[in-house]
Coordinates of all heavy atoms in Angstrom, one line a residue:
M7 N 20.8 1.3 -5.3 CA 19.7 2.4 -5.1 C 18.4 1.8 -4.6 O 17.9 2.3 -3.6 CB 19.5 3.1 -6.3 CG 18.5 4.2 -6.2 SD 18.9 5.6 -5.2 CE 19.5 6.7 -6.5
D8 N 17.9 0.6 -5.2 CA 16.6 0.2 -4.8 C 16.7 -0.5 -3.3 O 15.8 -0.5 -2.6 CB 16.2 -0.9 -5.7 CG 15.8 -0.4 -7.0 OD1 15.4 0.9 -7.1 OD2 15.7 -1.2 -8.1
N9 N 17.9 -0.9 -3.0 CA 18.1 -1.5 -1.6 C 18.0 -0.3 -0.5 O 17.5 -0.5 0.4 CB 19.4 -2.3 -1.5 CG 19.5 -3.1 -0.3 OD1 18.4 -3.7 0.1 ND2 20.6 -3.1 0.4
Q10 N 18.5 0.9 -1.0 CA 18.4 2.1 -0.1 C 16.9 2.4 0.2 O 16.5 2.5 1.2 CB 19.1 3.2 -0.6 CG 20.6 3.1 -0.6 CD 21.3 4.2 -1.3 OE1 20.7 4.8 -2.1 NE2 22.4 4.4 -0.9
R11 N 16.1 2.2 -1.0 CA 14.6 2.6 -0.9 C 13.9 1.5 0.0 O 13.1 1.9 0.8 CB 14.1 2.7 -2.1 CG 14.6 3.9 -3.0 CD 13.9 3.9 -4.3 NE 14.4 5.1 -5.0 CZ 14.9 5.1 -6.2 NH1 14.9 4.0 -7.0 NH2 15.4 6.2 -6.8
M12 N 14.3 0.3 -0.2 CA 13.7 -0.8 0.7 C 14.1 -0.6 2.1 O 13.3 -0.8 3.1 CB 14.1 -2.2 0.2 CG 13.4 -2.6 -1.1 SD 11.6 -2.7 -1.0 CE 11.5 -4.3 0.0
N13 N 15.3 -0.2 2.4 CA 15.7 0.0 3.8 C 14.9 1.2 4.4 O 14.6 1.1 5.6 CB 17.2 0.2 3.8 CG 18.1 -1.0 3.7 OD1 17.5 -2.2 3.9 ND2 19.3 -0.9 3.3
Y14 N 14.8 2.2 3.6 CA 14.0 3.3 4.1 C 12.6 2.8 4.5 O 12.0 3.2 5.6 CB 13.9 4.3 3.0 CG 12.9 5.4 3.3 CD1 13.3 6.5 4.2 CD2 11.6 5.6 2.8 CE1 12.3 7.6 4.6 CE2 10.7 6.5 3.2 CZ 11.1 7.4 4.1 OH 10.1 8.5 4.5
L15 N 11.9 2.1 3.5 CA 10.6 1.5 3.9 C 10.6 0.7 5.2 O 9.8 0.8 6.0 CB 10.1 0.8 2.6 CG 9.6 1.6 1.4 CD1 9.3 0.7 0.3 CD2 8.4 2.5 1.8
R16 N 11.6 -0.2 5.3 CA 11.7 -1.1 6.5 C 11.8 -0.2 7.7 O 11.2 -0.4 8.7 CB 12.9 -1.9 6.4 CG 12.8 -3.0 5.3 CD 14.1 -3.9 5.3 NE 14.0 -4.9 4.1 CZ 14.8 -4.7 3.1 NH1 15.7 -3.8 3.0 NH2 14.7 -5.6 2.1
T17 N 12.6 0.9 7.7 CA 12.7 1.9 8.8 C 11.3 2.5 9.1 O 11.0 2.5 10.2 CB 13.7 2.9 8.4 OG1 15.0 2.3 8.3 CG2 13.9 3.8 9.7
H18 N 10.7 2.8 8.1 CA 9.4 3.4 8.3 C 8.4 2.5 8.9 O 7.5 2.9 9.9 CB 8.8 4.0 6.9 CG 7.4 4.6 7.1 ND1 7.1 5.8 7.5 CD2 6.2 4.1 6.7 CE1 5.9 6.1 7.5 NE2 5.3 5.0 7.0
F19 N 8.3 1.4 8.3 CA 7.3 0.3 8.8 C 7.6 -0.4 10.0 O 6.8 -0.9 10.7 CB 7.0 -0.7 7.7 CG 6.2 -0.3 6.5 CD1 6.7 -0.4 5.3 CD2 4.9 0.3 6.7 CE1 5.9 -0.1 4.1 CE2 4.2 0.8 5.6 CZ 4.7 0.6 4.4
R20 N 8.9 -0.5 10.4 CA 9.3 -1.2 11.7 C 8.6 -0.8 12.9 O 8.3 -1.6 13.8 CB 10.9 -1.1 11.8 CG 11.3 -2.0 12.8 CD 12.7 -2.4 12.7 NE 13.0 -3.6 11.8 CZ 13.6 -3.5 10.7 NH1 14.3 -2.5 10.3 NH2 13.7 -4.7 9.9
S21 N 8.3 0.5 13.0 CA 7.7 1.0 14.2 C 6.3 0.5 14.4 O 5.7 0.4 15.4 CB 7.7 2.5 14.3 OG 6.9 3.0 13.3
A22 N 5.6 0.2 13.2 CA 4.3 -0.4 13.3 C 4.1 -1.9 13.2 O 3.1 -2.5 13.6 CB 3.5 0.3 12.2
Y23 N 5.1 -2.5 12.7 CA 5.0 -4.0 12.5 C 6.3 -4.7 12.9 O 7.3 -4.6 12.5 CB 4.8 -4.3 10.9 CG 3.8 -3.6 10.3 CD1 3.9 -2.4 9.6 CD2 2.4 -4.0 10.6 CE1 2.8 -1.6 9.1 CE2 1.3 -3.2 10.1 CZ 1.5 -2.1 9.3 OH 0.4 -1.4 8.9
S24 N 6.1 -5.5 14.0 CA 7.2 -6.3 14.5 C 7.5 -7.6 13.9 O 8.6 -8.0 14.0 CB 6.9 -6.5 16.1 OG 5.7 -7.2 16.3
D25 N 6.4 -8.2 13.2 CA 6.6 -9.4 12.6 C 7.4 -9.2 11.3 O 7.0 -8.4 10.5 CB 5.3 -10.0 12.2 CG 5.5 -11.3 11.5 OD1 5.6 -12.3 12.2 OD2 5.4 -11.3 10.2
E26 N 8.6 -9.8 11.2 CA 9.5 -9.5 10.1 C 8.9 -9.8 8.6 O 9.2 -9.2 7.7 CB 10.9 -10.2 10.3 CG 11.7 -9.6 11.4 CD 12.3 -8.2 11.0 OE1 12.6 -8.0 9.9 OE2 12.2 -7.3 11.9
A27 N 8.2 -10.9 8.7 CA 7.6 -11.4 7.4 C 6.6 -10.3 6.9 O 6.4 -9.9 5.8 CB 7.0 -12.7 7.5
D28 N 5.7 -9.8 7.9 CA 4.7 -8.9 7.6 C 5.3 -7.5 7.1 O 5.0 -6.9 6.2 CB 3.7 -8.6 8.7 CG 2.6 -7.8 8.5 OD1 2.0 -7.9 7.3 OD2 2.1 -6.9 9.2
L29 N 6.4 -7.1 7.9 CA 7.1 -6.0 7.6 C 7.7 -6.0 6.1 O 7.5 -5.1 5.3 CB 8.4 -5.8 8.5 CG 9.4 -4.7 8.2 CD1 8.8 -3.3 8.5 CD2 10.6 -5.0 9.1
E30 N 8.4 -7.2 5.8 CA 8.9 -7.2 4.5 C 7.9 -7.3 3.4 O 8.0 -6.7 2.3 CB 9.8 -8.6 4.3 CG 10.8 -8.5 3.2 CD 11.8 -7.5 3.3 OE1 12.1 -6.9 4.4 OE2 12.3 -7.2 2.3
A31 N 6.7 -7.9 3.6 CA 5.6 -8.0 2.6 C 5.2 -6.5 2.4 O 4.9 -6.2 1.2 CB 4.6 -8.8 3.1
R32 N 4.9 -5.9 3.4 CA 4.3 -4.5 3.3 C 5.4 -3.7 2.6 O 5.1 -2.8 1.6 CB 4.1 -3.8 4.6 CG 2.8 -4.4 5.2 CD 2.4 -3.8 6.5 NE 1.3 -4.5 7.1 CZ 0.0 -4.0 6.9 NH1 -0.3 -2.9 6.3 NH2 -1.0 -4.6 7.5
C33 N 6.6 -3.8 2.8 CA 7.7 -3.0 2.0 C 7.6 -3.4 0.6 O 7.8 -2.5 -0.3 CB 9.0 -3.3 2.7 SG 9.2 -2.6 4.4
L34 N 7.6 -4.7 0.2 CA 7.6 -5.1 -1.1 C 6.3 -4.5 -1.9 O 6.4 -4.0 -3.0 CB 7.5 -6.6 -1.1 CG 7.4 -7.2 -2.6 CD1 8.7 -6.9 -3.3 CD2 7.2 -8.7 -2.4
L35 N 5.2 -4.6 -1.2 CA 4.0 -4.0 -1.9 C 4.0 -2.6 -2.0 O 3.6 -2.0 -3.2 CB 2.8 -4.4 -1.0 CG 2.4 -5.8 -1.0 CD1 1.4 -6.1 0.1 CD2 1.9 -6.3 -2.4
A36 N 4.5 -1.7 -1.1 CA 4.7 -0.3 -1.2 C 5.7 0.0 -2.3 O 5.4 0.8 -3.1 CB 5.1 0.2 0.1
F37 N 6.8 -0.6 -2.3 CA 7.8 -0.4 -3.3 C 7.2 -0.7 -4.8 O 7.4 0.1 -5.6 CB 9.0 -1.3 -3.1 CG 10.2 -0.8 -4.0 CD1 10.9 0.4 -3.8 CD2 10.6 -1.7 -4.9 CE1 12.0 0.6 -4.6 CE2 11.7 -1.4 -5.7 CZ 12.4 -0.2 -5.6
S38 N 6.6 -1.8 -4.9 CA 6.1 -2.3 -6.2 C 5.0 -1.2 -6.6 O 5.1 -0.9 -7.9 CB 5.4 -3.6 -6.0 OG 6.4 -4.6 -5.7
A39 N 4.2 -0.8 -5.7 CA 3.2 0.1 -6.2 C 3.8 1.5 -6.5 O 3.3 2.2 -7.5 CB 2.2 0.4 -5.1
A40 N 4.9 1.9 -5.8 CA 5.5 3.2 -6.2 C 6.2 3.2 -7.5 O 6.2 4.1 -8.3 CB 6.6 3.5 -5.1
I41 N 6.9 2.0 -7.8 CA 7.6 2.0 -9.1 C 7.0 1.5 -10.3 O 7.4 1.7 -11.4 CB 9.0 1.3 -8.9 CG1 8.8 -0.2 -8.6 CG2 9.9 1.9 -7.7 CD1 10.1 -1.1 -8.8
A42 N 6.0 0.8 -10.0 CA 5.3 0.1 -11.2 C 3.8 0.4 -11.2 O 3.0 -0.4 -11.7 CB 5.5 -1.4 -11.2
S43 N 3.4 1.5 -10.7 CA 1.9 1.7 -10.5 C 1.2 1.8 -12.0 O 0.2 1.2 -12.1 CB 1.7 3.1 -10.0 OG 0.4 3.5 -9.9
D44 N 1.9 2.3 -12.9 CA 1.5 2.3 -14.3 C 1.2 0.9 -14.9 O 0.5 0.8 -15.8 CB 2.3 3.2 -15.2 CG 2.1 4.6 -14.8 OD1 1.2 5.0 -14.1 OD2 3.0 5.5 -15.2
L45 N 1.9 0.0 -14.4 CA 1.9 -1.4 -14.9 C 0.9 -2.3 -14.2 O 0.6 -3.4 -14.7 CB 3.3 -2.0 -14.9 CG 4.4 -1.2 -15.6 CD1 5.8 -2.0 -15.4 CD2 4.1 -1.2 -17.1
I46 N 0.3 -1.8 -13.1 CA -0.5 -2.6 -12.3 C -2.0 -2.2 -12.6 O -2.4 -1.0 -12.5 CB -0.3 -2.4 -10.8 CG1 1.2 -2.9 -10.5 CG2 -1.2 -3.2 -10.0 CD1 1.6 -2.5 -9.1
A47 N -2.8 -3.1 -13.0 CA -4.1 -2.9 -13.3 C -4.9 -2.7 -11.9 O -4.8 -3.5 -11.0 CB -4.7 -4.2 -14.0
A48 N -5.7 -1.6 -11.8 CA -6.3 -1.4 -10.7 C -7.7 -0.7 -11.0 O -8.1 0.3 -10.4 CB -5.5 -0.5 -9.8
E49 N -8.3 -1.4 -12.0 CA -9.7 -0.9 -12.3 C -10.7 -1.8 -11.5 O -10.6 -3.0 -11.4 CB -9.8 -0.9 -13.7 CG -9.0 0.1 -14.5 CD -9.4 1.5 -14.2 OE1 -10.5 1.9 -14.0 OE2 -8.4 2.3 -14.2
H50 N -11.9 -1.1 -11.3 CA -12.9 -1.8 -10.7 C -14.2 -1.2 -11.2 O -14.3 0.0 -11.4 CB -12.8 -1.7 -9.1 CG -13.9 -2.6 -8.3 ND1 -15.0 -2.0 -8.1 CD2 -13.7 -3.7 -7.8 CE1 -15.8 -3.0 -7.4 NE2 -14.8 -4.0 -7.3
P51 N -15.2 -2.0 -11.4 CA -16.5 -1.4 -12.0 C -17.2 -0.3 -11.1 O -17.7 0.6 -11.6 CB -17.5 -2.6 -12.1 CG -16.7 -3.8 -11.8 CD -15.4 -3.4 -11.3
E52 N -16.9 -0.4 -9.7 CA -17.6 0.6 -8.9 C -16.7 1.6 -8.3 O -17.2 2.5 -7.6 CB -18.3 -0.2 -7.7 CG -19.3 -1.2 -8.2 CD -20.0 -1.9 -7.1 OE1 -19.8 -1.5 -5.9 OE2 -20.6 -2.9 -7.4
H53 N -15.4 1.5 -8.6 CA -14.5 2.5 -7.9 C -13.4 3.0 -9.1 O -13.1 2.1 -10.0 CB -13.7 1.8 -6.8 CG -14.6 1.4 -5.7 ND1 -15.1 2.3 -4.9 CD2 -15.1 0.2 -5.3 CE1 -15.8 1.6 -3.9 NE2 -15.8 0.4 -4.3
T54 N -13.0 4.2 -8.9 CA -12.0 4.7 -9.8 C -10.6 4.1 -9.4 O -10.4 3.7 -8.3 CB -11.9 6.2 -9.8 OG1 -11.4 6.7 -8.4 CG2 -13.2 6.9 -10.1
R55 N -9.7 4.2 -10.3 CA -8.3 3.8 -10.1 C -7.7 4.6 -9.0 O -7.0 4.0 -8.1 CB -7.4 4.0 -11.4 CG -5.9 3.7 -11.1 CD -5.2 3.8 -12.5 NE -3.8 3.6 -12.2 CZ -3.2 2.4 -12.2 NH1 -4.0 1.3 -12.4 NH2 -2.0 2.2 -11.9
E56 N -8.0 5.9 -8.9 CA -7.5 6.6 -7.8 C -8.0 6.1 -6.3 O -7.2 6.2 -5.5 CB -7.8 8.2 -8.0 CG -7.1 8.8 -9.2 CD -7.6 8.3 -10.6 OE1 -8.8 8.0 -10.7 OE2 -6.8 8.3 -11.5
Q57 N -9.4 5.9 -6.3 CA -9.9 5.3 -5.2 C -9.2 4.0 -4.7 O -8.9 3.9 -3.6 CB -11.4 5.1 -5.3 CG -12.2 6.3 -5.5 CD -13.7 6.2 -5.7 OE1 -14.0 5.3 -6.5 NE2 -14.5 6.9 -5.2
I58 N -8.9 3.2 -5.6 CA -8.2 1.9 -5.3 C -6.9 2.1 -4.9 O -6.4 1.6 -3.9 CB -8.3 0.9 -6.5 CG1 -9.7 0.6 -6.9 CG2 -7.4 -0.3 -6.3 CD1 -10.6 -0.1 -5.9
L59 N -6.1 3.0 -5.5 CA -4.7 3.3 -5.1 C -4.8 4.0 -3.7 O -3.9 3.6 -2.9 CB -4.1 4.2 -6.2 CG -3.8 3.5 -7.5 CD1 -3.2 4.5 -8.5 CD2 -2.9 2.4 -7.3
Q60 N -5.7 4.8 -3.5 CA -5.8 5.4 -2.1 C -6.1 4.3 -1.1 O -5.5 4.5 0.0 CB -6.9 6.5 -2.2 CG -7.0 7.2 -0.7 CD -5.8 7.9 -0.3 OE1 -5.2 8.6 -1.1 NE2 -5.4 7.7 0.9
R61 N -7.0 3.5 -1.4 CA -7.2 2.4 -0.4 C -6.0 1.6 -0.1 O -5.7 1.2 1.0 CB -8.3 1.6 -0.8 CG -8.8 0.4 0.2 CD -10.0 -0.2 -0.2 NE -10.1 -1.3 0.8 CZ -11.3 -1.8 1.2 NH1 -12.3 -1.1 0.8 NH2 -11.4 -2.6 2.1
A62 N -5.3 1.2 -1.1 CA -4.0 0.5 -1.1 C -3.0 1.3 -0.1 O -2.4 0.6 0.7 CB -3.4 0.2 -2.4
A63 N -2.8 2.5 -0.4 CA -2.0 3.3 0.5 C -2.4 3.3 2.0 O -1.7 3.2 2.8 CB -1.9 4.7 -0.1
T64 N -3.8 3.4 2.1 CA -4.3 3.4 3.5 C -4.0 2.1 4.2 O -3.5 2.0 5.3 CB -5.8 3.7 3.5 OG1 -6.0 5.0 2.9 CG2 -6.4 3.6 4.8
L65 N -4.2 1.0 3.4 CA -3.9 -0.3 4.0 C -2.4 -0.5 4.3 O -2.1 -0.9 5.5 CB -4.3 -1.4 3.0 CG -5.8 -1.7 2.9 CD1 -6.0 -2.6 1.7 CD2 -6.2 -2.4 4.1
L66 N -1.7 0.1 3.5 CA -0.1 -0.2 3.7 C 0.4 0.8 4.8 O 1.2 0.3 5.6 CB 0.6 0.1 2.4 CG 0.5 -0.9 1.4 CD1 1.1 -0.4 0.1 CD2 1.3 -2.1 1.8
F67 N -0.2 2.0 4.9 CA 0.5 3.0 5.9 C -0.1 3.2 7.0 O 0.4 3.8 8.0 CB 0.8 4.3 5.0 CG 1.8 4.1 3.9 CD1 1.4 4.1 2.6 CD2 3.1 4.0 4.1 CE1 2.3 4.0 1.6 CE2 4.0 3.9 3.2 CZ 3.6 3.8 1.8
S68 N -1.4 2.7 7.2 CA -2.2 3.1 8.4 C -2.0 2.0 9.4 O -2.3 2.3 10.5 CB -3.6 3.3 8.1 OG -4.2 2.1 7.8
G69 N -1.6 0.9 9.1 CA -1.6 -0.2 10.1 C -3.0 -0.8 10.2 O -3.2 -1.7 11.1
S70 N -3.9 -0.3 9.4 CA -5.3 -0.8 9.5 C -5.5 -2.2 8.9 O -4.6 -2.5 8.0 CB -6.2 0.1 8.9 OG -6.2 1.3 9.6
T71 N -6.5 -3.0 9.2 CA -6.8 -4.1 8.5 C -7.8 -3.8 7.3 O -8.4 -2.7 7.4 CB -7.5 -5.2 9.4 OG1 -8.7 -4.6 9.9 CG2 -6.6 -5.5 10.6
G72 N -8.0 -4.6 6.6 CA -9.1 -4.4 5.5 C -10.4 -4.0 6.0 O -11.1 -3.1 5.6
D73 N -10.8 -4.8 7.1 CA -12.2 -4.5 7.8 C -12.1 -3.1 8.3 O -13.2 -2.4 8.2 CB -12.4 -5.4 8.9 CG -12.7 -6.8 8.3 OD1 -13.0 -7.0 7.2 OD2 -12.6 -7.8 9.1
Q74 N -11.1 -2.6 8.9 CA -11.1 -1.2 9.4 C -11.1 -0.2 8.3 O -11.8 0.8 8.4 CB -9.9 -1.0 10.3 CG -9.8 -1.8 11.5 CD -8.5 -1.8 12.2 OE1 -7.5 -1.8 11.5 NE2 -8.5 -2.0 13.5
V75 N -10.4 -0.4 7.2 CA -10.5 0.4 6.1 C -11.8 0.5 5.4 O -12.3 1.5 5.0 CB -9.4 0.1 5.0 CG1 -9.5 0.9 3.7 CG2 -8.0 0.3 5.7
N76 N -12.5 -0.7 5.4 CA -13.8 -0.7 4.8 C -14.7 0.1 5.4 O -15.6 0.8 4.6 CB -14.4 -2.2 5.0 CG -14.6 -3.0 3.8 OD1 -14.5 -2.4 2.7 ND2 -15.2 -4.1 3.9
A77 N -14.6 0.5 6.7 CA -15.5 1.4 7.4 C -15.3 2.9 6.8 O -16.3 3.7 6.9 CB -15.3 1.5 8.8
T78 N -14.2 3.2 6.2 CA -13.8 4.6 5.8 C -13.6 4.5 4.3 O -12.8 5.5 3.9 CB -12.7 5.1 6.6 OG1 -11.5 4.3 6.4 CG2 -13.1 5.3 8.0
A79 N -14.0 3.5 3.7 CA -13.6 3.5 2.2 C -14.2 4.6 1.4 O -15.3 5.1 1.8 CB -14.1 2.1 1.6
S80 N -13.6 5.0 0.3 CA -14.2 6.0 -0.6 C -15.5 5.5 -1.2 O -15.8 4.4 -1.2 CB -13.2 6.1 -1.8 OG -11.8 6.6 -1.3
E81 N -16.3 6.4 -1.4 CA -17.6 6.3 -2.1 C -17.4 5.7 -3.5 O -16.4 5.8 -4.1 CB -18.3 7.6 -2.2 CG -18.7 8.3 -0.9 CD -19.7 7.4 -0.2 OE1 -20.7 6.9 -0.8 OE2 -19.5 7.3 1.1
P82 N -18.4 4.9 -3.8 CA -18.4 4.2 -5.2 C -18.4 5.3 -6.2 O -18.7 6.4 -5.9 CB -19.5 3.4 -5.2 CG -19.9 3.2 -3.8 CD -19.5 4.3 -3.1
R83 N -18.0 4.8 -7.4 CA -18.0 5.7 -8.5 C -19.4 6.2 -8.8 O -20.4 5.5 -8.7 CB -17.5 4.9 -9.7 CG -17.1 5.5 -11.0 CD -16.9 4.6 -12.1 NE -15.6 3.7 -11.8 CZ -14.6 3.6 -12.8 NH1 -14.9 4.2 -14.0 NH2 -13.6 2.9 -12.6
A84 N -19.4 7.4 -9.2 CA -20.8 8.0 -9.5 C -21.3 7.6 -10.8 O -20.7 7.3 -11.7 CB -20.7 9.5 -9.5

């Protein structure tokens, strides 16, 4: 079952990433975040957990680099 999910992610990411190592790394990170989100610490003094998870999703699925995402990052915690 998990291999089917990884294959789905590979299919999704393949159109954006031609480098196989980068493709596999993004699939691994996306799968890990999806199945173990509750086990991964994602707290930051200036941002909520939801903001951090949203940024991770943006990095994984947009094809953007961290610098590009920085320009559109969520506002800090109030």
